[in-house]
Amino acid sequence: MATTDVTLQGAPGRLERKPVVNDMSIQVATVNGSGSQSSNTVLLRSIFQMGVPVSGKNLFPSNIAGLPTWYTIRANKDGYIARKKEIDFLIAMNAETAHEDVLSLAAGAAVLYDEPLSLNSLRNDLTFYAVPYDKLVAAVCPEAKLRKLVKNMIYVGVVARLLDLDMAEVEKALRKQFAKKLKAANLNMAAAQAGFDYAAANLKKQDPFRIVRMDKNLGKIIIDGNSAAALGCMFAGVTVVTWYPITPSSSLVETLIDYMKEHRIGPDGKATFAIVQAEDELAAIGMVIGAGWAGARSMTATAGPGISLMAEFAGLAYYTEVPGVIWDIQRVGPSTGLPTRTSQGDILSTAFLSHGDTKNILLIPNSVSECFEMATDAFNLAEQFQTIVFVMSDLDLGMNNWMSDPFKYPETPINRGKVLSKEDLERLGTFSRYKDVDGDGIGWRTLPGTDHPAAAYFARGSGHNEKSQYSERPDDFERNMERINRKFETARSFVPRPEVVSAGKSKIGIIAYGTSHWALVESRDQLKKEYNFEADYLRLRAYPFTREVHEFVEQHERVYVVEQNRDAQMLSLLKLDVRPELVTRLRSISHIHGLPLDARSVTDEIMTMEGK
Amino acid sequence: MATTSSTPAPKINRIGLSVMEYKGGKTTLCAGCGHNAISERIIDAMYEMGVQPERVAKLSGIGCSSKSPAYFMSRSHSFNSVHGRMPSLATGAMLANRNLLTLGVSGDGDSASIGIGQFVHLMRRNLPMVYIIEDNGVYGLTKGQFSATADVGSKLKTGVVNDLPPIDTCSLAIELGATFVGRSFSGDKRQLHSMLKAAIAHRGTVMLDVISPCVTFNDHEGSTKSYKYMKDHEEPLQDINFVPYFEEIDVEYDAGTTVEVTMHDGSRLRLRKIEESYDATNRIGAIQRLLEAHDKQEVLTGVLYVNSTAPTFIDLLNITEEPLATLPESVTRPSREVLEQCMEELR
């Protein structure tokens, strides 16, 4: 196979292209419901197993079968795993989108297509490879009804040949994918091999893209953010889980059910947890609050529409001071919006969810490992501060596969917060539920069922005094609300601190959070390499903002706040928090197209705003 | 008993508590409100059953009825929550601590209108709890609008007539899976008292619809939820006799006229038939009889349906005996080896 001195097909006279090794974006265009997910995972894992940093992003429709779907695999030797705007290698399986997919490619890209689509006539500045999938699949799969599912595995073999992937790694990945189904594994392996053999015999390598073995993934795992969150919740000691199915959060609880059934059944065969599919999000959050009030570590997972429905109950929990954790796997709103696309659009709604004065703690993971770690943080903070804690993941993080170092066992003990036991009550004689005895705004609570005559208090969403008695007195109400606000101020010192990636090197600062981080890592390198432009960078990990955030804004003349929503939601929160004279330093870079943020867009926008 | 003092020592129940230990705060509801009578019956039933007040969790939604948990059993934890959504709160509480005796107090607006969604799902789960609807056919706190249990043709004080059919929470509860369903009247002290004691002994969802007249907004001529209307139209199905497991049975019963139901804890519920053909263990018959009652403008009271053997939601979830709320970290956080195993599967 030609691996060097590759020339562009149909472009005589052009300069020979140097090989492009371990730096490419592969896009697979298929129809959803066609089983391509397995093929794509095998392809991703094969590259991963060859030690090359890789990420996979599924761009799918809100539909079960029949609509176009695109899966993008990015392999990058430098570890950039954000979405790359340009596609280098297109695998065109979907007749419906093939023309547009091909026309949108940049010159020099390669296209692998189903022979009958005859895409090679569309352009002359691309490399085309035709594969007769139907013919190949018929040979390896006698059962006609299975062919549709097996067909997609053929392109894995073809790509393996063209990109120089080790077929042994493909087989390993494939056998892992079909671990519980030997027959399916064999059938699919035959298909992959058929693709490989066909390519070896019939396709002449004409593109520059290659995968060469590296050692960057030693010991690493591949997992999606929702599964990582599920694991995190199990190790955080969650006991009550309620949910109502909603994309993109459903897989979090579904994975959690699997893990809990495996690892949280006691020696007596009984569950040390309860997982309930509720009738709607109202009931899901109601159960979380009922369980939290009665002392369980309770959680639910949802997305924007669910958050909207939970608003009233969130206020009840805020005001009666009941712990609970809500995972918000953000998707594009408003309304139904783009239910299968990613965003960071729920920042403001969650921060202030409910009527009256409410402020909620938000934790914002940027990676699968933070999904795991922040689960423990979230439950501990919820019980410490007796309030709802939101974990703000998103579809890109939650539903896509990410590489990661293995998760570290949580060393922080489970913190159940200020709970008075029967013995405490015997010593104290009495207690006042909402009295700030420690100066941190946090009162002591008791759990229903505590066997002491003084244990009970009357939790109520209506006005109450320190003893939790009904009160409409203005002074009682104001004092109580001020105390609850003190809890929020106290929380500033306990929430996860931001990651100050770079400080003191530039007058320009960038603030980003969550999955935007991965575009920022790459964008800052682009800015430096291409424009010799250095910018400091702080990655937010929580709301309320900690001291470091204020310092960062103070230290920079201009601060770009990068986020994936229309209305600069995090910037709005920062405006409310920083000193008034610093507000004008904040500049917004916001995108809301439903696609994961890419580095190039950020780089271009910063340079434009900097007048360069 | 004390013999040396001139004042007799207070009577105590089987766990050594006087009835005072079951009292609540002073009611702020209207004088004569049926809800106050229900609170009294709850106090008496809990006292007589010897329920440890600390074991009880009182939950409510929003409305006059939902205020009433403040007026009984101050030694029990309580949660007055949001409108119509107490069932989910109660569900969460029971998941967290299966040993609680959960008592939900709701109203007809709270359950049959804004809360109907949570109500029906609570019924179908057969969550072990006692759910009482204090049913007066109107919204009291917002000054007298019709609720969804108001009968066709019933008239508001303002003269507005209700045209829509009522939601019968009892037939709904029976259809959906509640395992102890009854209807009573706040003014029928004896019946309600026995029914509440049986409700405490039952394991599963108890749904009691208690007609509880609103003296301020719905006790006039033309109302079908007034004291007078109930006196004229109440049709008790049985004479209810409840014998708790801790009491000797001193009277035998006639199997021809009385149905005896053995409850989960060994208590016995004896239903001496007033309406001979009524069988409280027949689900379909119960629903049919309720539909007929609407046509005949009868208010059937008594134990409408009972099934003391159906599995509860807690059984179905196979939850461990110890409350989930207080499981130690050693149980709720798997070991390092488990994490290592999970990581290995992801490599």
Side-chain angles (χ1 to χ4, degrees), chain A residues 45 176 219 222 235 237 264 269-271 279 283 287 291 294-295 407 409 411-412 414 416 446 453 458-459 461, chain B residues 54 75-80 85 88-89 92 118 121 125 318 320 325 329 332-334 336 338 343 345-347:
Chain A
R45 289 202 72 94
K176 186 180 177 73
I222 289 186
F235 283 91
R264 286 279 299 276
K270 299 261 185 179
E279 55 269 34
M287 290 177 198
F407 303 152
Y409 193 76
E411 299 300 337
T412 10
I414 287 174
R416 305 304 312 265
T446 54
F458 199 106
Chain B
E54 287 73 26
R75 277 176 58 170
S76 305
H77 269 79
S78 196
F79 204 150
N80 177 202
R85 326 242 182 255
S88 61
L89 224 67
Q118 298 214 340
H121 287 275
R125 291 192 179 107
N318 191 34
T320 193
E329 184 171 331
T332 62
R333 175 175 277 176
R336 285 169 196 278
V338 169
M343 291 299 100
E345 287 163 5
L346 296 163
R347 285 198 172 99

Side-chain angles (χ1 to χ4, degrees), chain B residues 197-234:
Chain B
K197 287 203 288 186
I200 291 165
H202 182 73
R203 201 168 160 279
T205 300
V206 177
M207 207 298 284
L208 300 182
D209 178 53
V210 185
I211 310 299
S212 175
C214 172
V215 290
T216 304
F217 296 108
N218 206 13
D219 198 29
H220 49 270
E221 189 66 36
S223 159
T224 60
K225 300 272 194 275
S226 66
Y227 282 109
K228 184 172 184 303
Y229 188 90
M230 282 304 291
K231 285 200 174 84
D232 296 344
H233 294 80
E234 184 184 1

Side-chain angles (χ1 to χ4, degrees), chain A residues 441-473:
Chain A
I442 309 164
W444 287 80
R445 65 182 187 130
T446 54
L447 304 182
T450 304
D451 187 18
H452 190 281
Y457 70 96
F458 199 106
R460 42 168 49 98
S462 46
H464 47 260
N465 61 18
E466 287 178 346
K467 289 185 177 302
S468 196
Q469 293 159 328
Y470 185 80
S471 171
E472 295 182 7
R473 287 176 57 122

Side-chain angles (χ1 to χ4, degrees), chain A residues 242-257:
Chain A
T242 68
W243 65 303
Y244 185 74
I246 181 171
T247 304
S249 75
S250 308
S251 67
L252 196 164
V253 180
E254 285 167 330
T255 310
L256 183 54
I257 291 170

